[in-house]
Amino acid sequence: MLREPRARGAGGSGVAAPRRFCSRRRLEREKAAMPVQLLKIIKGESETPLPSHLQKEDLKCLQEGFDYTNKYFQGAVILSYPLTKLRDGSDFFKVVLQDLNNSCSRINSINVLIYGKMAEDCAKVMRHGDTFVVAGFKLSKSPTAREDGRHGCHLEVSEEAGSGIYIYTKRSTSAASETASVSVAPKYVYTPLNHLKDGTVVNLYGIVKFFKPPYVSKGTDYCSVVTLVDPSNAKLTCTLFSGNLDSLPKIYKIGDIVRFHRIKIREYNGQMQGITSGGFASLTFDGTVGAPVVPRTSSKLYTFLDEEHKTIEELRAWAASNLSISGPAAKLSGVQPMLFFDLTCQLVGKARVDGSSFLLKVWDGTKCPYPTWKVPVEARDLEGEKGLLHQLRHLTVDILVYDNHVQLAKSLKIGSFLRIYSIHAKQASTDNQDVSHVEFHLHGGTCYGRGIGVLPESNPDVKELKAFLESVDLADSQNVESMSSVELDGIFSNVTDLQSHLQRCQQLSVTVLTDHQDLNNTELKTILNSTAPQQYRIRAKLRTFKPQKLHQCIKLFCSRCNSLKEVPDGSDFDLILQDSAPTAPNPELHNTSWYDSVMWTTQHQKQRKIAIHFVKHDEMLQEPEDTLLMIEGGTLKEVSKLSRRFKCVIPVRSTEDDLELLDLSAPFLLQGSVKYYGCKQCSTPKTIKSLSSLAAEQRPSWELTEIAQVLGIVPLQYVFIMKFTLVDGTGALNAYLFDYEKFFQIPASEILTNDFLQQKMQMTMNTLCPPGRKLGDLPWLECFIKSYNITDGMKHQVYYQIFDTTVAEDVV
């Protein structure tokens, strides 16, 4: 309970006793302060001064080995963590303070660890932005300094150590008996994207050039990917994880502006990347020039200073002049078959279709000019207001969403406003109809920013859409019937027109263009007579392709040295494991601070020793689907079984001082059925101890790129490499396909171990280039190709490569 301070008599010290927490413990010295005190601010000054024996210490002067019993440190609270209990049942509270006197320094914040009753008391009253004074503290080395970018030491305080905490407040206007904290807005330093350094935790502003709406990652967290640019012309791609969907940036379109606080920077393959760190926070702003400067965030506690308005306006002006930002999302009335588009719409119905797909019924007030597919579902399974669904039946379209988008689709509320990214308008026909219709699909995965975003009603696009929907005369739509193959006859002026339309439908391409829609088709003859490098859009047929044995087209590629390598046979890995088995696990390396170990001896004649090390987080083992483990002495069968059960498996062997990776001829990481290899030429393997930095993160994601980076490995990427011979009647050229997963919509990393994907790829190639067909009967492919020069000694040659093209969903 808080009490008002009472003035002392003339014989007292002449100062008012600070407001404080009651405690059973009486300190022996009469003038000693209680552990946690609230000091009032009157006209910018503390009503009660700090004890005279305390001397202020600057952040830059804090060093281990010194006595800080009579010292104090003062800073502004920029971050606090939830109150938790330690194993002994005592309370623990962690706070991050920023030194306001050195806010422009590279390191200007420090962790404060509060134990016992003081932790509970602080958690009750402390607020973001409070001025916080820590006195009589102990200084110890911080184990997280490298990860969080803060001071190399942290402050430890407790009542038992005689520490004191003073929190500055001012009188509340609501009641004299209450205390309100004074928000001292910390001054943040923002780093331009061209000044980012590996291993730092920074604050930054950026303009969204590309983003993937939040999706469920392989673990339990949501993930979002965003690529930022700024006036320095540098680029930063950020991968953001959070268990709370609302805490991720609320990005709605390319050109939005974001402010990130406490984002961690890492260098990978020569490029800077951003990842979430402890205390990560974000604000998002509309990037449109002249739009209100209103931050989007789920947090109720954030700072946004007047001078930051100027920053937003400057970034908006720069983006308007220097970036190609797409216009408004498409309307259903402007949809074209076989293309991808973004749609802003309202959800009026939804239904489960099967285990891997979900139906969304939406409208935007306009009518699609083509017959559209109505997904067959039971009436009892369809959620939504029945009367409204019937009234809008000629204006709604059915969008079928797949795989990773299903979970979010299920959670959407009827009536909410959505922006659905990268919808595929697919041309299709049914067995009992002579004409085609348009289907709308949101395919699985996140390529090209596929996803679903929920827009708040305060969003300008939503306000505009709502006004338009309210103006739609629904009576006009009641006389419009669904268009069947018979009723389509009236659309065309005569039978010849209808036949021409059907013929055009039969000539549609079996591939889909995913970008550069402004390019016109170029004949192959023209391309062959043109200089390189250039980009072209073509319409051609696939006469032949190599290799004919499709498993031979999967290679391993190093993006650093551009080398290609054959995928090793599984027997090679088995031999390497057998060779390492005689090296017995070193018991001195077991059960460290960041992993637990188990070891046993097999019962067969050779009595092989096996050790498994389970990486911990916050001193606790995780669920198998979130766990990384290392194994020593295992066979190929044992390692493969573990990789199907746990998120990541790393084969290792013991040395005298640490665990280390096997030879890079073996995979350095297994995830599921996929084995990941490192480039021998570019990698500089580090010991397994390097992984401890990832284990210490607030939410370790155990993603391939992060694991590879800390282990000093440059990972080899699985790629499809094929040679297509394309013809169009004017000429023929050989174009190379170099692709990870976009063209076939199949991950190259998974196809070698998945029979279904192998069959799907074989069927796809049989459709693109049907065996035994005459050239005139082959289907058309619409592709983007780019030309480039290769010089080998004195020999100069032009090559061609397919890009930004994918196989149409209905090919197989």
Side-chain angles (χ1 to χ4, degrees), residues 732-746:
L733 63 75
N734 292 323
Y736 286 90
L737 177 69
F738 183 95
D739 184 69
Y740 302 103
E741 65 172 309
K742 294 178 181 178
F743 183 80
F744 292 107
Q745 300 189 53
I746 298 173

Side-chain angles (χ1 to χ4, degrees), residues 399-420:
I399 300 177
L400 208 53
V401 306
Y402 298 90
D403 302 335
N404 57 299
H405 307 297
V406 170
Q407 181 175 335
L408 178 58
K410 289 179 179 178
S411 68
L412 297 174
K413 295 181 179 179
I414 301 297
S416 58
F417 292 91
L418 311 176
R419 182 165 288 145
I420 308 178

Side-chain angles (χ1 to χ4, degrees), residues 530-547:
S530 302
T531 58
Q534 292 191 58
Q535 296 182 354
Y536 306 95
R537 175 177 179 170
I538 67 168
R539 182 176 174 84
K541 297 186 177 186
L542 178 59
R543 187 169 66 188
T544 185
F545 62 90
K546 293 181 180 180

Side-chain angles (χ1 to χ4, degrees), residues 227-248:
T227 299
L228 305 177
V229 294
D230 73 358
S232 70
N233 288 317
K235 181 177 73 171
L236 176 70
T237 297
C238 303
T239 304
L240 312 173
F241 291 93
S242 177
N244 181 7
L245 177 62
D246 287 336
S247 66
L248 290 173

Side-chain angles (χ1 to χ4, degrees), residues 583-628:
T583 304
N586 182 357
E588 294 183 2
L589 302 177
H590 293 187
N591 298 309
T592 69
S593 62
W594 61 283
Y595 62 77
D596 286 344
S597 306
V598 293
M599 184 170 70
W600 69 94
T601 303
T602 59
Q603 298 302 311
H604 57 72
Q605 187 176 3
K606 291 185 179 180
Q607 293 191 329
R608 176 170 47 92
K609 290 184 180 295
I610 302 174
I612 299 180
H613 312 285
F614 299 88
V615 176
K616 299 182 292 184
H617 178 57
D618 285 342
E619 300 185 358
M620 297 179 64
L621 294 176
Q622 306 299 295
E623 295 295 327
E625 60 269 20
D626 297 324
T627 297
L628 180 144

Side-chain angles (χ1 to χ4, degrees), residues 75-81 93-98 100 109 122-132 150 167-169 180-188 190 203 259 261-262 278-283 297 299-305 308:
V77 177
I78 60 172
L79 180 65
S80 63
Y81 295 81
F93 188 50
K94 181 178 176 180
V95 176
V96 181
L97 300 184
Q98 183 182 67
L100 296 179
S109 60
C122 284
K124 288 179 180 177
V125 297
M126 190 216 69
R127 298 182 184 179
H128 181 90
D130 280 352
T131 299
F132 204 83
R150 300 177 190 131
I167 303 174
Y168 282 111
T169 66
S181 62
V182 56
S183 293
V184 180
K187 181 176 176 59
Y188 291 101
Y190 295 97
N203 309 314
R259 188 190 79 176
H261 278 182
R262 295 172 292 278
F280 170 80
S282 69
L283 298 179
T297 178
S299 174
K300 296 181 179 178
L301 297 174
Y302 63 88
T303 59
F304 186 68
L305 306 178
E308 293 185 84

Side-chain angles (χ1 to χ4, degrees), residues 25 114 159 162 219 313 363 379 419 454 485 562 572 577 639 725:
R25 181 176 179 180
I114 309 171
E159 189 172 353
E313 297 296 356
W363 76 311
R419 182 165 288 145
V454 180
S485 59
N562 293 325
D572 298 335
L577 291 173
V639 172
T725 300

Side-chain angles (χ1 to χ4, degrees), residues 298-593:
S298 60
S299 174
K300 296 181 179 178
L301 297 174
Y302 63 88
T303 59
F304 186 68
L305 306 178
D306 290 341
E307 55 261 34
E308 293 185 84
H309 280 262
K310 182 180 178 183
T311 301
I312 299 297
E313 297 296 356
E314 289 174 348
L315 290 174
R316 285 175 170 177
W318 182 85
S321 303
N322 294 274
L323 295 184
S324 176
I325 299 175
S326 59
K331 296 284 188 182
L332 289 175
S333 57
V335 166
Q336 294 295 318
M338 306 306 289
L339 296 180
F340 291 80
F341 66 99
D342 300 342
L343 179 67
T344 302
C345 55
Q346 185 181 32
L347 178 67
V348 294
K350 64 179 184 177
R352 180 182 181 275
V353 178
D354 55 41
S356 62
S357 60
F358 199 81
L359 167 66
L360 300 179
K361 280 185 174 289
V362 303
W363 76 311
D364 72 352
T366 68
K367 181 166 180 56
C368 180
Y370 300 93
T372 60
W373 181 41
K374 298 299 180 184
V375 179
V377 293
E378 295 288 342
R380 63 176 179 270
D381 295 333
L382 184 60
E383 296 182 45
E385 187 183 335
K386 305 303 180 186
L388 182 62
L389 284 169
H390 179 75
Q391 190 178 22
L392 299 179
R393 66 190 184 279
H394 303 309
L395 291 176
T396 58
V397 296
D398 289 4
I399 300 177
L400 208 53
V401 306
Y402 298 90
D403 302 335
N404 57 299
H405 307 297
V406 170
Q407 181 175 335
L408 178 58
K410 289 179 179 178
S411 68
L412 297 174
K413 295 181 179 179
I414 301 297
S416 58
F417 292 91
L418 311 176
R419 182 165 288 145
I420 308 178
Y421 302 91
S422 197
I423 301 172
H424 182 193
K426 170 183 169 184
Q427 191 101 27
S429 60
T430 55
D431 295 337
N432 60 349
Q433 288 186 335
D434 295 328
V435 295
S436 59
H437 59 261
V438 174
E439 301 175 359
F440 297 103
H441 299 266
L442 181 67
H443 301 302
T446 59
C447 290
Y448 309 108
R450 275 186 218 130
I452 303 172
V454 180
L455 303 179
E457 297 204 12
S458 59
N459 183 277
D461 293 337
V462 171
K463 291 180 178 180
E464 181 181 341
L465 176 59
K466 285 182 67 177
F468 179 70
L469 295 182
E470 291 171 1
S471 70
V472 173
D473 186 356
L474 298 180
D476 290 344
S477 68
Q478 302 310 302
N479 297 322
V480 182
E481 297 298 330
S482 298
M483 290 183 287
S484 65
S485 59
V486 175
E487 292 158 339
L488 270 173
D489 290 358
I491 295 178
F492 302 94
S493 58
N494 52 52
V495 176
T496 304
D497 286 345
L498 176 58
Q499 291 175 338
S500 298
H501 171 75
L502 296 177
Q503 188 175 9
R504 284 195 299 273
C505 289
Q506 294 168 358
Q507 295 297 313
L508 287 170
S509 169
V510 292
T511 53
V512 177
L513 308 177
T514 61
D515 204 345
H516 316 289
Q517 304 295 338
D518 55 318
L519 290 180
N520 295 319
N521 285 338
T522 304
E523 293 181 341
L524 298 186
K525 178 181 178 181
T526 303
I527 296 173
L528 291 167
N529 292 326
S530 302
T531 58
Q534 292 191 58
Q535 296 182 354
Y536 306 95
R537 175 177 179 170
I538 67 168
R539 182 176 174 84
K541 297 186 177 186
L542 178 59
R543 187 169 66 188
T544 185
F545 62 90
K546 293 181 180 180
Q548 289 290 313
K549 295 181 179 179
L550 296 180
H551 69 273
Q552 295 176 348
C553 74
I554 310 297
K555 309 292 181 185
L556 293 172
F557 171 69
C558 176
S559 59
R560 181 170 295 182
C561 65
N562 293 325
S563 63
L564 285 172
K565 182 175 181 289
E566 296 293 335
V567 180
D569 186 82
S571 59
D572 298 335
F573 182 29
D574 197 18
L575 289 174
I576 294 172
L577 291 173
Q578 293 177 29
D579 290 343
S580 66
T583 304
N586 182 357
E588 294 183 2
L589 302 177
H590 293 187
N591 298 309
T592 69
S593 62

